[in-house]
Amino acid sequence: MSDEIASKWNSRYAYSGKPLPPAAKVLTQSERWLPQGESLTALDLACGRAANAHWLAARGFQVSAWDISQTVIDEINSRQSAVFTDVQVRDVEQNPPEPNSFDVIVVARFLDRALCPAIQAALKPGGVLFYQTFTHGLSNPEYLLAGNELLRLFKGLHILEYHEPDPDENGKAEARLVAKRPKHQ
Ligand SMILES: C[S@@+](CC[C@H](N)C(=O)[O-])C[C@H]1O[C@@H](n2cnc3c(N)ncnc32)[C@H](O)[C@@H]1O
């Protein structure tokens, strides 16, 4: 199954030469919740072309960028390897992040419900999760969030912000969650 997923994404990323997409709204519209301090670590999980990783690196984070697609990781390495602390081809279902390892985790347009407890545990105490993915507009319903589902998936975190807008003119909509791991947990 992982090989199939990797191969599907490798062909989608067969390099298009397009400019990087903008960072996800869950970051750009909720920047005030970023933890402040020295040497903070951030993970862009299932990073794709790593637009979110770039945005975090530009704000001083030591960023890890992980994706299952060798093609997209090769593209990142050829483009800007020096910017990130750690760039990996990594199947996060098989090899999730370690507990207590990041001050910030961003997940955009990726949904694996079984991984959510590991994502939550991978935040350091006081760490912040920025999560954004679709509620409407994908053909495979397995990848669509139900109403308030992000709130349920991350119920162990302290919710800082949650948005669940109506679908746009193309029938697409994405929920956005910003949530913090309590310091004593
Ligand atoms: C829709 S793209 C989103 C990419 C990026 N987060 C963004 O918002 O632009 C989904 C990404 O998930 C990656 N992916 C899918 N399954 C994965 C897995 N098991 N482990 C790591 N990455 C995975 C794909 O390679 C793809 O880059």
Side-chain angles (χ1 to χ4, degrees):
M1 184 59 178
S2 298
D3 287 349
E4 261 176 53
I5 292 174
S7 142
K8 175 184 102 173
W9 284 102
N10 281 337
S11 15
R12 285 209 199 168
Y13 286 123
Y15 186 51
S16 60
K18 285 188 198 150
L20 272 191
K25 264 190 184 177
V26 73
L27 290 176
T28 58
Q29 301 206 348
S30 302
E31 184 170 353
R32 66 188 169 283
W33 297 116
L34 283 176
Q36 306 291 317
E38 299 290 310
S39 306
L40 297 178
T41 55
L43 169 64
D44 185 354
L45 182 138
C47 62
R49 299 188 66 220
N52 294 325
H54 260 285
W55 189 91
L56 287 162
R59 282 153 185 80
F61 286 85
Q62 294 175 9
V63 181
S64 296
W66 300 347
D67 199 281
I68 199 171
S69 164
Q70 178 77 58
T71 305
V72 85
I73 293 297
D74 287 348
E75 187 210 318
I76 294 167
N77 278 329
S78 69
R79 199 178 353 123
Q80 58 237 339
S81 55
V83 175
F84 303 133
T85 309
D86 164 39
V87 179
Q88 283 186 40
V89 177
R90 179 153 166 163
D91 178 347
V92 293
E93 290 177 19
Q94 305 291 325
N95 199 1
E98 300 297 320
N100 301 312
S101 44
F102 292 100
D103 297 293
V104 167
I105 299 178
V106 58
V107 187
R109 298 172 177 165
F110 173 78
L111 181 61
D112 173 0
R113 294 168 174 86
L115 189 66
C116 292
I119 293 174
Q120 184 170 309
L123 289 168
K124 293 180 185 173
V128 181
L129 173 68
F130 296 80
Y131 206 125
Q132 167 175 341
T133 199
F134 293 97
T135 55
H136 296 81
L138 295 182
S139 51
N140 186 344
E142 191 190 330
Y143 297 129
L144 288 177
L145 290 165
N148 284 339
E149 189 177 357
L150 277 182
L151 296 173
R152 292 193 290 276
L153 288 170
F154 293 102
K155 61 177 187 283
L157 300 180
H158 175 69
I159 307 302
L160 301 172
E161 257 190 66
Y162 181 69
H163 302 272
E164 197 176 291
D166 289 334
D168 64 15
E169 62 284 2
N170 301 312
K172 293 198 171 190
E174 292 175 72
R176 308 195 304 271
L177 172 85
V178 184
K180 185 171 189 167
R181 182 167 171 196
K183 286 233 175 198
H184 306 289
Q185 192 190 50

